[in-house]
C-alpha cells in the first residue's frame, strides 16, 4: 500500500513530523515501511506556461518556435521539438537555470540559429512514470488543464512536492489497505484525532427514486452478505481533475476517466472496492448476485474471454453476467464516453471465494486484493455515498434518491474481555489501568469497565484482525512501545535437546553406508510415469499418483521406488566418464492401489543403493576387481550387524528387473512370522544393456522394519582372561542347504561355550558327488570363568556333529 504524505495529512494533523519520521514510528509499531519515495525526482524552477503562439522553425522541419507566457512579466521564446505543441495550451515550462531529473540543467541556447529561453517539458522529463498517464499524454509534451494558473510551480500543480510511504503489510493488517485505515494507525501512534471525509449527496438533488429503476437480489446468500447500489443520471464522462489524477498516480494507479477514477480513489480512501456499470447496458433493470453456471463465459474489462466454473460468484443484470464479483467488471457493461447514467456498486463479498476465483483465473486486481483479505463491512455504505458525491461533483450528474440494497446477514461487532492482570503478566510490565485506557482511546476503541481491573472492549469492524484478548494485548504492546517493555530472564528448568530414535537411526544408516564407500544422493520425489512402468520396485501393485499441476511431464507423478532415479544418476555419471559409481538414498516413496485417490497414500521410508564398476580404484599394483553380489551384501550386513538385527535372512528370488540367478530377497523374522522387506542382487542384463551400464548391483529395502527391531546400543564386555580352544570341521551336505541354516543349528547345539563361528571354505566338485557341497567352519570355545578341558570341548563338539547329521544328513569330510 502506497500512502501519500499530503493525502494522509487531510485526515490527521502531521505537523512536526516528516514522512521519514512517520515511517520510523510505523515500523517500530509493527507496520514495516519499505521505502519513503520523494515524488520530486530533481525538478526545480519549472512553472506553468501558456503557449500564445506557435510557428514553424525557419531552418528545421521538426522544430517549432513558441511564444510562451510563464508569468515572468515578459513572454519567452522557446524552441520545441514536440509534435503535439500548439497555441492555447497550458504546459510545464523549465525556465533558464531550472534543473530536471538526470542532472539536466536548462540554459539559454540557440537551436539552428533561433534563441530559446527555456524548455517545454514532457511528463517523462519531469520524472513522472508516463505509463501511469492517460494514453493521450504519454507522447510529446505534457498538456495541462485549461484552468491551471499560469506561473504556478509545477511541483504544486502535479503534486510532486509530496512523499509516498510504501507499507509492507502482513496479511492480518488489511485495515491499512486504505488511507483512512493508515490514518487511524498514525493517529494512534501520534495520539491525535482522525478527520473523516464528508459525503454530501445533495449536491444535485433529484426527485427520481433509484428503486424505480433498479432492484437487487442475492441468490448466493452465503457468499455475499450485503450488496448496495446508487443510480446517478446525467453524468458527463471525461478526464478527471489534476488533483485526482495526481493522487491516483502517487498510489501507482493509472487515471482513466472521472467515473472510474472516483471508484479507485474511494477504494484507496476507504479500502472498499467499488464498480460502476453503464445503466443503459443493463437489460433486466435488476442486479442478481449468483453463482456461475457450468461453462458460462464472460469477457472481462481486459478484453479476455473467461470460462467460468460453478463455484465462481457473478454479478448479473437478470439476463447476462456483467462482472466477476470482487475481481473485475465485464466489458458488456463498461462505462464509456457515451455513458450518461451509471449504477454504482458497493458490496461485501466472502474473501475466500474472491481469492479462489482470482487465483484460478490469474486475475489479480486492487479490488480482489482487498476483498480476499476481508474488507470492512461498515465501509460499504459510507464509501458508496462518498463516491456518489464525488461523481456528482465532477461529472455534473444527479444522484437518484435512496440506496437500493439487499442484505443477507448483518455484520456482528466483536467485544473482547480483558484484565489488567493478564496484560501485565503477558507483557512483563506494570501498566496501570489508566495507561491501558489511554492506549485504547488512541486506537479509537470504545470500552466499558465491568469491574476493577477488567475491560470489555468493543472492536471496530475495520479491525477484523482482533478477535481475542491476546490480539488486544498485542495492540497495547505496539502502542506502549516494544522498546519500553522490560527484558525478563527466562526462568524454569531446561533440558538438553536430543534426537528422536528415528532421527538417530537415520544418522546411523547414513554414517555406516558412507563409511562403507557409498555416496549419498538426493533425487526428485516427482518422476515420469515411464520409469515406474519399467521398474515398479517393491510395490508392483502400486499405482502412480499424478500431480494436479505438475512442473513438467518429467515430474508429473510421485515415485513408488528410489531405484529408477538412482539408475539415472549412475547413467549421468557414466556419460561423464565416471564408471565406478556407488551411491545410496534414504527417502520416502508413495504407495496406493487406488486409481483416483480418496485417502492419503502410504509414505514408506526406503533405503536404496546402487554399485557398479570396480570396488576400489585401480593402481599400479592392482588393476581393481569388479564389484559383485557379496560386496553389496557385505555393506548391508555391516549395517544390520551394527543395528543388532539377528533375524535377517536371504533367500534366492527372481523379481522383475533383477538377474534371475544373482538375486535374493531379504527377510526379517523367524519361521512363519518372517516377512520380505527388500531385495538385493544384480540388475537384469536387459535393463543394464538399455542403460549402457556394466554389472550393476542394487539394494532396496524397507527401513521401518529395521527400525522396529534395531538395538544399536553399544554393550561393553571385559576382555577374556581364559584361553579358548578352537575346532575346525568340514561337512558335506546337499547343495540346496543354506549356510545360514547350518550356522543356526551349530549355535543351538554348541550352547553357551561357543564364542564364535566362521565359514572359511565352501567347495563343490566331482569328488563330492552330484548335488553336494562342502562347508568348512572354524569354531571357538571359551568358558568365561575358567579354562576348558579337551574332554569338555570334545563332548560339546560331538553334540554339534550329531545335530548336523540329524538335521541335514551331514557327513564329516575327511
Amino acid at each position: 500500500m502506497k500512502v501519500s504524505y499530503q493525502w494522509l495529512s487531510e485526515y490527521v494533523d502531521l505537523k512536526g513530523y516528516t514522512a521519514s519520521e512517520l515511517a520510523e514510528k510505523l515500523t517500530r509499531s509493527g507496520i514495516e515501511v519499505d521505502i519513503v519515495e520523494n515524488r520530486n525526482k530533481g525538478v526545480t524552477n519549472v512553472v506553468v506556461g501558456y503557449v500564445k503562439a506557435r510557428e514553424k522553425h525557419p531552418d528545421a522541419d521538426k522544430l517549432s518556435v513558441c511564444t510562451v507566457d510563464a508569468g515572468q512579466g515578459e513572454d519567452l521564446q522557446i524552441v520545441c521539438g514536440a509534435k503535439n505543441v500548439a497555441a492555447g495550451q497550458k504546459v510545464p515550462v523549465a525556465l533558464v537555470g531550472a534543473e530536471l531529473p538526470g542532472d539536466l540543467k536548462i540554459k539559454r541556447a540557440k537551436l539552428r540559429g533561433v534563441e530559446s529561453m527555456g524548455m517545454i517539458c514532457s511528463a517523462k522529463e519531469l520524472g513522472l512514470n508516463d505509463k501511469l498517464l492517460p494514453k493521450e499524454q504519454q507522447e510529446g509534451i505534457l498538456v495541462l488543464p485549461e484552468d491551471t494558473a499560469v506561473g504556478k510551480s509545477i511541483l504544486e500543480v502535479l503534486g510532486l512536492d509530496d512523499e509516498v510511504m510504501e507499507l509492507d503489510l502482513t496479511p492480518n493488517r488489511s485495515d491499512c489497505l486504505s488511507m483512512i485505515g493508515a490514518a487511524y494507525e498514525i493517529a494512534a501512534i501520534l495520539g491525535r484525532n482522525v478527520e473523516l471525509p464528508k459525503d454530501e449527496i445533495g449536491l444535485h438533488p433529484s426527485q427520481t427514486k433509484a428503486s424505480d429503476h433498479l432492484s437487487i437480489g442475492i441468490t448466493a446468500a452465503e457468499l455475499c452478505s450485503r450488496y448496495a447500489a446508487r443510480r446517478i443520471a446525467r453524468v458527463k464522462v471525461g478526464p478527471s481533475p489534476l488533483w485526482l489524477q495526481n493522487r491516483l498516480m502517487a498510489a501507482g494507479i493509472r487515471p482513466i476517466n472521472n467515473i472510474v477514477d472516483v471508484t479507485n480513489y474511494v477504494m484507496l480512501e476507504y479500502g472498499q472496492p467499488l464498480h460502476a456499470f453503464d445503466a443503459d447496458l443493463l437489460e433486466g433493470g435488476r442486479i442478481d448476485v449468483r453463482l456461475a453456471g457450468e461453462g458460462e463465459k464472460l469477457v472481462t474489462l481486459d478484453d479476455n474471454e473467461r470460462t467460468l466454473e460453478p463455484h465462481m460468484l457473478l454479478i448479473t443484470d437478470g439476463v447476462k453476467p456483467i462482472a466477476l464479483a470482487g475481481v473485475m467488471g465485464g466489458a458488456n457493461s463498461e462505462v464509456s464516453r457515451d455513458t450518461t447514467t451509471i449504477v454504482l456498486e458497493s458490496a461485501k463479498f466472502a474473501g475466500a471465494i474472491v481469492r479462489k476465483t482470482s487465483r484460478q483465473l490469474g486475475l489479480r486486481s486492487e479490488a480482489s486484493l482487498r476483498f480476499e483479505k476481508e474488507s470492512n463491512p461498515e465501509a460499504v455504505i459510507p464509501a458508496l455515498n462518498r463516491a456518489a458525491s464525488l461523481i456528482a461533483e465532477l461529472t455534473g450528474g444527479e444522484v437518484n434518491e435512496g440506496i437500493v440494497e439487499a442484505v443477507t446477514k448483518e455484520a456482528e461487532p466483536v467485544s473482547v474481555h480483558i484484565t489488567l492482570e493478564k496484560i501485565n503478566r503477558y507483557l512483563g510490565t506494570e501498566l496501570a489501568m489508566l495507561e491501558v485506557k489511554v492506549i485504547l482511546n488512541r486506537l479509537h476503541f470504545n470500552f466499558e469497565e465491568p469491574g476493577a481491573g477488567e475491560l470489555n472492549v468493543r472492536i471496530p469492524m475495520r479491525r477484523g484482525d482482533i478477535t481475542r484478548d491476546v490480539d488486544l494485548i498485542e495492540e497495547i504492546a505496539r502502542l506502549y512501545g516494544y522498546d519500553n517493555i522490560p527484558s525478563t530472564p527466562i526462568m524454569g528448568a531446561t533440558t538438553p535437546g536430543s534426537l528422536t530414535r528415528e532421527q538417530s537411526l537415520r544418522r546411523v544408516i547414513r554414517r555406516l553406508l558412507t563409511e562403507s564407500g557409498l555416496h549419498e544422493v538426493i533425487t526428485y520425489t516427482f518422476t515420469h510415469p515411464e520409469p515406474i512402468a519399467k521398474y515398479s520396485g517393491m510395490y508392483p501393485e502400486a499405482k502412480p499418483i499424478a500431480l494436479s499441476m505438475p512442473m513438467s511431464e518429467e515430474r508429473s507423478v510421485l515415485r513408488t521406488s528410489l531405484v529408477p532415479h538412482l539408475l539415472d544418476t549412475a547413467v549421468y555419471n557414466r556419460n561423464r566418464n565416471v564408471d565406478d559409481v556407488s551411491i545410496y538414498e534414504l527417502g520416502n516413496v508413495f504407495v496406493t492401489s487406488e486409481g483416483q485417490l480418496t485417502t492419503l497414500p502410504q509414505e514408506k521410508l526406503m533405503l536404496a543403493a546402487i554399485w557398479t564398476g570396480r570396488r576400489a580404484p585401480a593402481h599400479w599394483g592392482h588393476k581393481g576387481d569388479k564389484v559383485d553380489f557379496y560386496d553389496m551384501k557385505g555393506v548391508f550386513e555391516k549395517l544390520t550387524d551394527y543395528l543388532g538385527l539377528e533375524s535377517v535372512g536371504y533367500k534366492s528370488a527372481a523379481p522383475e528387473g533383477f538377474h534371475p540367478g544373482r538375486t535374493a530377497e531379504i527377510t526379517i523374522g523367524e519361521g512363519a512370522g518372517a516377512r520380505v522387506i527388500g531385495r538385493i542382487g544384480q540388475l537384469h542384463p536387459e535393463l543394464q544393456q538399455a542403460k549402457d551400464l556394466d554389472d550393476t548391483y542394487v539394494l532396496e529395502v524397507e527401513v521401518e522394519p529395521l527400525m522396529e527391531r534395531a538395538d544399536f546400543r553399544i554393550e561393553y564386555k571385559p576382555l577374556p582372561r581364559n584361553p579358548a580352544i578352537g575346532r575346525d570341521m568340514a561337512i558335506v551336505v546337499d547343495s540346496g542347504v543354506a549356510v545360514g541354516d547350518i550356522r543356526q543349528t551349530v549355535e543351538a547345539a554348541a550352547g553357551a561355550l561357543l564364542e564364535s563361528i566362521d565359514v572359511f571354505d565352501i567347495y563343490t566338485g566331482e569328488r563330492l558327488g552330484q548335488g553336494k557341497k562342502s562347508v568348512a567352519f572354524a569354531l571357538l570355545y571359551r568358558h568365561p570363568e575358567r579354562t576348558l578341558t579337551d574332554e569338555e570341548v570334545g563332548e560339546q563338539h560331538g553334540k554339534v556333529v550329531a545335530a548336523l547329521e540329524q538335521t541335514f544328513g551331514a557327513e564329516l569330510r575327511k
Side-chain angles (χ1 to χ4, degrees):
M1 175 69 184
K2 293 184 175 182
V3 177
S4 160
Y5 180 87
Q6 284 190 355
W7 192 357
L8 186 66
S9 65
E10 294 184 4
Y11 311 110
V12 184
D13 180 9
L14 303 180
K15 289 179 182 178
Y17 294 95
T18 65
S20 297
E21 289 170 342
L22 289 179
E24 175 68 17
K25 287 185 172 293
L26 276 168
T27 301
R28 286 185 173 276
S29 298
I31 294 182
E32 185 179 356
V33 179
D34 280 344
I35 190 172
V36 178
E37 179 187 6
N38 194 329
R39 294 202 68 207
N40 184 355
K41 305 303 181 184
V43 176
T44 61
N45 207 17
V46 179
V47 298
V48 177
Y50 173 70
V51 181
K52 287 186 171 182
R54 170 189 177 272
E55 297 178 357
K56 183 178 175 298
H57 192 288
D59 292 329
D61 293 337
K62 295 184 178 181
L63 296 179
S64 303
V65 180
C66 302
T67 302
V68 180
D69 175 10
Q72 305 301 305
E74 59 181 26
D75 294 341
L76 304 177
Q77 178 176 280
I78 298 177
V79 178
C80 180
K83 294 180 180 179
N84 65 326
V85 66
Q89 291 176 336
K90 299 285 183 68
V91 294
V93 176
L95 304 175
V96 173
E99 292 185 6
L100 298 177
D103 293 329
L104 178 62
K105 295 181 180 180
I106 306 303
K107 300 178 182 179
R108 186 192 300 260
K110 280 190 176 183
L111 300 176
R112 293 288 185 93
V114 177
E115 189 174 38
S116 181
M117 300 292 293
M119 175 180 172
I120 301 176
C121 303
S122 68
K124 202 168 190 178
E125 289 164 338
L126 294 173
L128 294 174
N129 183 354
D130 56 349
K131 293 182 180 178
L132 293 179
L133 291 170
K135 292 181 179 179
E136 62 272 11
Q137 297 277 30
Q138 291 182 6
E139 294 183 3
I141 62 169
L142 179 62
V143 180
L144 303 172
E146 295 179 359
D147 59 353
T148 309
V150 173
K152 193 172 184 179
S153 171
I154 203 67
L155 300 180
E156 184 179 349
V157 171
L158 297 180
L160 299 181
D161 53 346
D162 190 13
E163 291 180 284
V164 177
M165 298 178 290
E166 187 165 351
L167 310 185
D168 186 5
L169 299 174
T170 52
N172 63 315
R173 291 306 305 269
S174 59
D175 60 299
C176 285
L177 284 170
S178 67
M179 294 300 300
I180 292 177
Y184 272 113
E185 183 68 17
I186 290 290
I189 293 171
L190 302 182
R192 297 180 179 179
N193 293 324
V194 176
E195 191 72 30
L196 295 178
K198 297 179 180 179
D199 47 12
E200 300 176 356
I201 299 301
L203 286 175
H204 296 277
S206 171
Q207 299 301 318
T208 304
K209 290 185 178 180
S211 57
D212 293 340
H213 299 272
L214 182 68
S215 62
I216 294 174
I218 301 176
T219 304
E222 68 283 359
L223 301 178
C224 177
S225 58
R226 180 185 292 268
Y227 192 101
R230 277 193 174 275
R231 188 173 183 272
I232 308 173
R234 299 182 182 179
V235 298
K236 186 177 180 180
V237 180
S240 298
L242 208 51
W243 68 266
L244 178 52
Q245 294 188 33
N246 292 339
R247 292 276 171 87
L248 293 180
M249 287 190 289
I253 295 177
R254 181 168 66 88
I256 297 174
N257 59 51
N258 47 11
I259 291 177
V260 176
D261 291 351
V262 166
T263 62
N264 285 329
Y265 178 85
V266 175
M267 175 186 69
L268 293 173
E269 190 173 44
Y270 281 83
Q272 170 63 38
L274 306 167
H275 187 69
F277 301 103
D278 188 325
D280 294 330
L281 298 178
L282 305 184
E283 298 181 41
R286 171 179 171 80
I287 287 180
D288 185 25
V289 184
R290 63 169 174 82
L291 290 172
E294 182 70 46
E296 197 167 3
K297 298 181 184 298
L298 173 67
V299 178
T300 47
L301 288 173
D302 57 2
D303 293 327
N304 288 322
E305 185 178 68
R306 313 283 178 175
T307 301
L308 311 178
E309 296 188 13
H311 65 265
M312 296 179 179
L313 193 63
L314 280 181
I315 311 299
T316 72
D317 63 0
V319 177
K320 64 182 184 298
I322 55 175
L324 270 171
V327 180
M328 187 174 285
N332 57 7
S333 58
E334 181 180 7
V335 172
S336 66
R337 290 183 178 274
D338 299 327
T339 299
T340 58
T341 305
I342 66 166
V343 172
L344 187 62
E345 161 200 284
S346 182
K348 178 69 176 72
F349 301 118
I353 194 64
V354 174
R355 177 168 56 251
K356 185 175 182 180
T357 301
S358 173
R359 292 188 177 182
Q360 188 168 344
L361 295 178
L363 266 177
R364 301 286 290 176
S365 63
E366 290 289 336
S368 67
L369 172 67
R370 286 162 173 80
F371 274 126
E372 67 186 36
K373 296 182 185 299
E374 298 295 350
S375 58
N376 177 11
E378 285 186 327
V380 172
I381 300 303
L384 179 64
N385 289 337
R386 170 70 165 160
S389 175
L390 286 173
I391 289 174
E393 179 183 349
L394 300 181
T395 68
E398 293 182 357
V399 181
N400 289 174
E401 183 183 344
I403 296 174
V404 184
E405 66 175 332
V407 180
T408 62
K409 183 180 179 182
E410 290 287 357
E412 297 180 1
V414 174
S415 180
V416 175
H417 178 77
I418 197 166
T419 65
L420 183 63
E421 182 274 332
K422 188 170 186 178
I423 294 171
N424 285 323
R425 176 161 49 88
Y426 271 50
L427 299 182
T429 55
E430 295 181 0
L431 292 174
M433 180 58 79
L434 179 60
E435 293 176 282
V436 173
K437 290 179 179 179
V438 168
I439 290 174
L440 293 177
N441 283 325
R442 287 164 58 188
L443 286 164
H444 293 82
F445 289 1
N446 296 324
F447 55 85
E448 297 173 349
E449 194 170 2
E454 297 182 16
L455 291 173
N456 288 330
V457 184
R458 292 187 295 278
I459 309 301
M461 289 189 183
R462 59 184 169 82
R463 293 302 304 273
D465 58 309
I466 301 176
T467 57
R468 305 168 300 166
D469 55 358
V470 288
D471 299 327
L472 202 53
I473 292 173
E474 181 183 3
E475 290 298 298
I476 294 169
R478 288 194 316 109
L479 271 296
Y480 179 66
Y482 293 130
D483 294 339
N484 296 325
I485 297 176
S487 300
T488 305
I490 298 175
M491 306 295 291
T494 59
T495 56
S498 63
L499 299 176
T500 64
R501 186 171 186 275
E502 180 180 342
Q503 290 170 333
S504 298
L505 282 165
R506 284 174 181 255
R507 290 198 177 185
V508 166
I509 292 171
R510 288 189 170 98
R511 177 170 59 80
L512 289 175
L513 292 178
T514 302
E515 289 175 354
S516 299
L518 276 66
H519 302 275
E520 184 178 11
V521 298
I522 299 175
T523 62
Y524 280 103
T525 303
F526 308 139
T527 187
H528 193 282
E530 186 178 345
I532 295 178
K534 289 184 177 179
Y535 184 89
S536 56
M538 287 286 297
Y539 310 103
E541 303 300 323
K543 295 184 179 179
I545 302 165
L547 303 181
S548 59
M549 297 180 66
M551 296 182 291
S552 66
E553 189 179 0
E554 293 296 318
R555 305 279 179 255
S556 59
V557 297
L558 290 172
R559 64 188 178 188
T560 59
S561 172
L562 303 178
V563 174
H565 278 169
L566 292 185
L567 288 174
D568 290 342
T569 303
V571 171
Y572 180 89
N573 281 270
R574 185 175 178 87
N575 290 341
R576 286 153 182 80
N577 297 322
V578 181
D579 296 330
D580 304 330
V581 179
S582 53
I583 55 177
Y584 74 93
E585 180 172 10
L586 190 65
N588 288 334
V589 299
F590 303 86
V591 180
T592 182
S593 58
E594 299 180 7
Q596 295 291 330
L597 283 181
T598 57
T599 58
L600 289 175
Q602 289 182 289
E603 290 189 42
K604 292 185 176 288
L605 182 61
M606 300 292 291
L607 169 64
I610 283 181
W611 203 342
T612 183
R614 294 167 297 192
R615 66 169 62 96
H619 58 86
W620 64 271
H622 193 276
K623 67 177 182 179
D625 295 330
K626 295 214 170 206
V627 68
D628 60 23
F629 174 87
Y630 294 102
D631 291 309
M632 184 67 84
K633 183 170 180 283
V635 169
F636 184 65
E637 286 184 335
K638 175 182 177 182
L639 174 63
T640 56
D641 287 346
Y642 188 90
L643 296 179
L645 300 171
E646 298 180 351
S647 56
V648 176
Y650 306 88
K651 62 180 181 180
S652 178
E656 185 180 357
F658 282 85
H659 192 296
R662 301 178 183 175
T663 304
E665 288 182 338
I666 302 172
T667 63
I668 195 165
E670 297 178 354
R675 55 171 287 204
V676 176
I677 62 168
R679 67 266 303 258
I680 183 171
Q682 183 180 336
L683 206 62
H684 196 283
E686 292 181 356
L687 193 51
Q688 286 181 174
Q689 186 176 5
K691 297 285 186 181
D692 193 23
L693 293 170
D694 291 335
D695 287 355
T696 301
Y697 292 88
V698 175
L699 166 70
E700 186 177 26
V701 64
E702 292 182 15
V703 177
E704 186 178 352
L706 304 181
M707 289 185 170
E708 289 174 353
R709 295 170 170 80
D711 182 6
F712 56 100
R713 294 173 298 176
I714 300 175
E715 294 184 2
Y716 297 92
K717 297 179 180 178
L719 293 173
R721 303 180 62 180
N722 301 298
I725 297 178
R727 291 285 187 271
D728 292 347
M729 71 174 179
I731 60 172
V732 178
V733 293
D734 293 339
S735 58
V737 176
V739 175
D741 293 340
I742 299 175
R743 286 179 59 105
Q744 291 178 3
T745 302
V746 172
E747 290 170 351
L753 294 181
L754 182 65
E755 183 177 275
S756 66
I757 175 173
D758 292 312
V759 179
F760 65 86
D761 182 55
I762 298 178
Y763 170 74
T764 58
E766 295 180 359
R767 293 176 55 189
L768 297 177
Q770 187 71 23
K772 296 291 185 178
K773 66 179 177 182
S774 170
V775 184
F777 295 93
L779 285 72
L780 197 66
Y781 296 93
R782 191 194 308 267
H783 196 286
E785 297 177 356
R786 61 182 176 81
T787 301
L788 289 172
T789 64
D790 284 341
E791 291 76 13
E792 288 177 308
V793 173
E795 181 183 353
Q796 203 66 26
H797 195 67
K799 293 180 181 179
V800 170
V801 173
L804 292 175
E805 290 176 349
Q806 183 178 356
T807 306
F808 303 107
E811 297 179 2
L812 285 176
R813 185 180 174 197
K814 300 179 180 178

